Amino acid sequence: MAEPIGMLERSRECLEAGRPSRALRALPSRGGLPAPLRPERDLLEAEAWRESGYFGRARGIYARVLGRGSGADPVLRLEASLGLASLLRSVGEGAAAFRLLKESSRLSRRLGARHYAPRIRLEALLIDRALGRLARSLRGLAALLASALKRKDGAEAAFLLWAVGGALRLQGKLAESEAAFRRSGKLARACGDARGAGYALLGLAGVVRIAGRPGESAAHYERAGRLFAGTEDAFAKAYALCGAANGLRQSGRLGEAERLYLKSRTLYARLGDGPDLAYVEWGLGQVYLQTGRPSLAGPRLRAARALFLRHHEDRGTVLAELSLSRLLYLEGRVARAERLYAQAVKR
């Protein structure tokens, strides 16, 4: 068994070096390992898929590690539950992520694994942010940021400023949010963290778009896309494409927007990211409406609405229903258009 075990070690090293595709290639087959080592192998696979942005694939493998008959030891179960909680938060399932994190916290205390406490604390604050508990999230993030700056940990401070920027944006404090994202990017660049700089640009692009500067937003998204082009982060690549398409659409550059939406749609479909795919479908529908192609707009807007409903995305559902009501009105189905519009306003 020396060779399969050596492959496990190589896979772990690749993952720690930020090379999830190499980690996946290095993994031995499940059948080539003794049963006690299979949960460790599965956890490495789940983490590699999550790091690459393939959340759908990762989710099922985490579930296998956490299954009752998996044979995973408590530490592996703790690692899997933390990884899955982070994944659920990333795809908009904050309540499920919170429940799983509470279980992780109880397990870490039972094991006496105090070194997991900072990771659990940070994840709890990020979940608070996702659930809209913004004031509490910001208080905790500010304390962690002060500590990171005192220790001169630039990479950690850059990440925390990115998280702060997102919470401030959700509070509507756009100028403060923009400043946080700019500072995050500056710190990330200073310590050579291209991925961190890319995520800071994604956050900055989102804020300036909301602030009414769609052309600048598209430029920031395109810069972020260039940074992520040399990475294995497929989620960030798809996000940058979709964001740039949004900025271009709002700037009236509809042909360019359509091209980027289609590229982003291919990536999100491959990733299995339903909520973000729904926003791409909606954006495409908007482009088709604005360019006088209602026969193309209808299927995209209906697909968006179905995905938004499935993933309990109320804001997206409202956007899709408002757009569909406009389409129905253009088609002369006025009564149906008015009913759907009223439903969207009520929602």
Side-chain angles (χ1 to χ4, degrees), residues 9-347:
E9 290 302 318
R10 282 196 296 276
S11 179
R12 183 180 295 102
E13 289 167 4
C14 291
L15 188 59
E16 290 171 354
R19 296 291 184 183
S21 65
R22 292 185 184 178
L24 289 166
R25 287 196 297 271
L27 277 176
S29 67
R30 296 187 86 246
L33 287 169
L37 289 179
R38 289 174 190 166
E40 181 180 355
R41 180 235 175 260
D42 289 343
L43 178 60
L44 285 170
E45 183 179 4
E47 295 279 81
W49 284 124
R50 180 170 67 88
E51 282 294 309
S52 301
Y54 287 82
F55 299 136
R57 294 186 187 184
R59 186 172 187 162
I61 301 168
Y62 278 126
R64 187 164 69 203
V65 177
L66 292 169
R68 288 187 178 180
S70 73
D73 67 39
V75 173
L76 284 177
R77 294 182 69 84
L78 177 56
E79 288 282 352
S81 62
L82 286 172
L84 184 54
S86 176
L87 184 155
L88 292 170
R89 169 181 54 80
S90 298
V91 299
E93 297 183 37
F98 182 69
R99 288 193 297 271
L100 193 58
L101 191 69
K102 285 177 69 176
E103 293 177 19
S104 303
S105 181
R106 284 194 293 268
L107 179 56
S108 71
R109 289 196 299 271
R110 193 160 65 242
L111 293 172
R114 295 181 180 177
H115 58 288
Y116 282 98
R119 182 175 168 189
I120 291 170
R121 172 63 175 153
L122 175 58
E123 188 60 45
L125 293 170
L126 295 174
I127 291 171
D128 280 340
R129 188 185 69 158
L131 290 172
R133 300 193 285 247
L134 301 176
R136 184 163 76 181
S137 178
L138 278 168
R139 283 195 301 271
L141 290 170
L144 294 181
L145 175 60
S147 174
L149 290 171
K150 186 176 181 179
R151 289 182 279 107
K152 298 186 178 179
D153 188 333
E156 183 178 337
F159 175 82
L160 290 165
L161 278 163
W162 167 83
V164 165
L168 289 169
R169 180 181 62 193
L170 290 169
Q171 283 187 328
K173 298 176 180 177
L174 302 187
E176 294 175 53
S177 174
E178 181 177 341
F181 283 128
R182 289 189 184 278
R183 191 179 176 197
S184 172
K186 185 177 180 180
L187 282 173
R189 289 190 297 274
C191 60
D193 181 4
R195 192 180 185 198
Y199 272 96
L201 276 172
L202 292 180
L204 177 62
V207 169
V208 300
R209 182 179 60 80
I210 295 168
R213 290 138 61 192
E216 181 186 341
S217 173
H220 288 315
Y221 277 123
E222 287 169 345
R223 282 179 59 207
R226 288 193 290 273
L227 284 175
F228 289 118
T231 74
E232 298 179 18
D233 194 337
F235 172 81
K237 293 175 185 177
Y239 194 100
L241 284 167
C242 179
N246 285 332
L248 291 168
R249 174 178 56 81
Q250 292 181 327
S251 300
R253 296 158 64 183
L254 301 179
E256 296 170 74
E258 180 181 355
R259 178 175 57 82
L260 295 188
Y261 275 133
L262 289 170
K263 286 186 176 181
S264 180
R265 183 170 173 246
T266 299
L267 278 177
Y268 276 134
R270 193 182 304 155
L271 292 172
D273 184 344
D276 285 310
L277 177 60
Y279 279 104
V280 174
E281 297 281 26
W282 175 79
L284 267 176
Q286 289 292 100
V287 167
Y288 293 145
L289 275 178
Q290 290 174 256
T291 52
R293 292 177 283 174
S295 63
L296 294 178
R300 301 281 63 82
L301 294 174
R302 284 189 287 273
R305 182 174 183 268
L307 283 167
F308 284 134
L309 285 169
R310 186 184 311 159
H311 293 281
H312 310 289
E313 285 274 339
D314 289 339
R315 174 179 172 271
T317 303
V318 170
L319 290 172
E321 288 178 346
L322 290 173
S323 297
L324 278 168
S325 69
R326 180 184 170 198
L327 174 64
L328 290 165
Y329 188 82
L330 291 171
E331 292 174 341
R333 299 158 67 186
V334 176
R336 173 68 181 130
E338 290 178 346
R339 286 196 300 272
L340 188 59
Y341 181 85
Q343 179 179 308
V345 170
K346 183 178 179 182
R347 193 189 297 279

